[in-house]
Amino acid sequence: MRIALIGPEDRIAEWQQRLPHIEPVYVATTPPPFHDRPDIDLVFDLDLDQDPERMAAYAPVPGLMVIGCAVKRTLAELALWGGRPPAGSLVGLNALPTFLHRPAWEFSLYQSEDRERLELICNELDLAWEIVEDRLGMVTPRVLAMIINEACTLVQEGTASPGDIDAAMRLGTNYPLGPLAWAAAIGPEHLVELLDLLRQETGEGRFRVAPLLRNLLRRGEWFDVRADA
C-alpha cells in the first residue's frame, strides 16, 4: 500500500497524528503527477470536496483508490468532476478538522463493491470504521452542525449562556467537547457552509443558519469557551 496524502497542512498533521505508524510516499497540497508516480495506489485527499477539480487527475488512473473528504459534496457529484467515470475506486471520508481524531472514521461508498477493499485498508491501517450513506453532510457533521446552530439560537434568544450549553452537552451526552467549543475547533466557516448547502439542497428551514452564528463568522469572532472548561 503506497499512499499519497493530499490536503491543507492542518488536516495532514491530524491524519499523521492519528496514524503515526504509517508513512505516505507522497505528501503535498496537490495531487502527484501519476505518470511519474505509478507506484501510488491509494490517495487520501483530505479536502477534496473543497477542490473537486482534482478529480480530473484521479479519474483516469486505473486501480487507484481515492479516499476523499465528501462532507460538502457527495461522491456522486465529485465523480462528475472527473469528466469520466473513475477508472479506480472512490470512497468518501469525513475529514473535517477534529474528526480524524475520533475512534472510528466515517466513510461512504460510490460503489458498494469497494467495501471489501476499504475493509482491507482499514485493517492494515488499524482503523475502526463505519459506512454511512452517500449524502450531503454525511452523518456526524450534518447532525453536529444542526446542534451547533441550535446552540447559537439559544444564546441569541438569551435562553442559556455559551458556557452553560457546553457544560450541559458534555455532562449530559458525554460529548468530548461542548458544541460551541467543538465548533471553534472545526472552524465555524465549515459549519455555515455546510448548513447553507443543506438548506439549498433540501429547502428545509431547520438548516437555516442562526443569525448569531453567521454574524460571528463575518466578524471573525467566537464565544469565549474552552475545551477543558
Side-chain angles (χ1 to χ4, degrees):
M1 186 167 56
R2 294 162 298 281
I3 299 174
L5 182 58
I6 312 299
E9 291 183 0
D10 59 334
R11 297 200 207 183
I12 286 175
E14 188 175 334
W15 189 99
Q16 292 173 325
Q17 290 165 10
R18 184 67 172 77
L19 299 172
H21 55 294
I22 304 298
E23 293 188 12
V25 299
Y26 179 93
V27 180
T29 58
T30 57
F34 287 103
H35 59 278
D36 291 335
R37 296 303 306 263
D39 57 316
I40 293 172
D41 56 5
L42 175 61
V43 171
F44 278 91
D45 190 321
L46 304 179
D47 65 340
L48 180 59
D49 53 358
Q50 290 289 141
D51 193 0
E53 293 88 352
R54 295 177 192 159
M55 283 300 303
Y58 301 140
V61 184
L64 179 69
M65 173 169 274
V66 177
I67 299 178
C69 188
V71 175
K72 299 176 188 175
R73 298 179 192 269
T74 65
L75 294 174
E77 180 184 354
L78 287 170
L80 295 175
W81 283 85
R84 50 164 292 172
S89 303
L90 181 60
V91 173
L93 171 66
N94 172 15
L96 287 182
T98 77
F99 287 101
L100 296 183
H101 285 305
R102 298 182 72 229
W105 283 10
E106 189 174 323
F107 295 97
S108 56
L109 297 175
Y110 182 59
Q111 295 180 312
S112 59
E113 53 264 35
D114 291 327
R115 182 187 181 101
E116 183 176 350
R117 184 178 176 189
L118 176 62
E119 182 175 4
L120 292 172
I121 288 170
C122 289
N123 288 341
E124 188 167 346
L125 297 178
D126 194 24
L127 274 175
W129 57 288
E130 57 185 345
I131 299 291
V132 302
E133 184 181 351
D134 179 29
R135 64 190 304 208
L136 187 62
M138 301 185 78
V139 173
T140 309
R142 186 183 185 116
V143 171
L144 187 59
M146 293 175 65
I147 290 172
I148 291 166
N149 197 44
E150 181 61 24
C152 289
T153 298
L154 293 174
V155 174
Q156 180 177 313
E157 294 173 345
T159 303
S161 71
D164 288 343
I165 291 171
D166 272 14
M169 291 298 289
R170 285 200 324 275
L171 297 174
T173 65
N174 201 30
Y175 272 32
L177 298 172
L180 299 176
W182 203 345
I186 295 170
E189 67 278 8
H190 294 300
L191 301 166
V192 169
E193 183 180 2
L194 177 57
L195 288 165
D196 281 339
L197 289 168
L198 288 165
R199 169 81 167 155
Q200 179 181 341
E201 180 183 71
T202 67
E204 296 181 15
R206 60 185 174 142
F207 298 119
R208 183 181 293 110
V209 176
L212 178 59
L213 173 53
R214 196 180 298 279
N215 288 338
L216 287 170
L217 177 62
R218 287 170 175 165
R219 295 200 301 264
E221 300 174 357
W222 196 243
F223 303 105
D224 184 17
V225 288
R226 301 197 320 270
D228 59 349

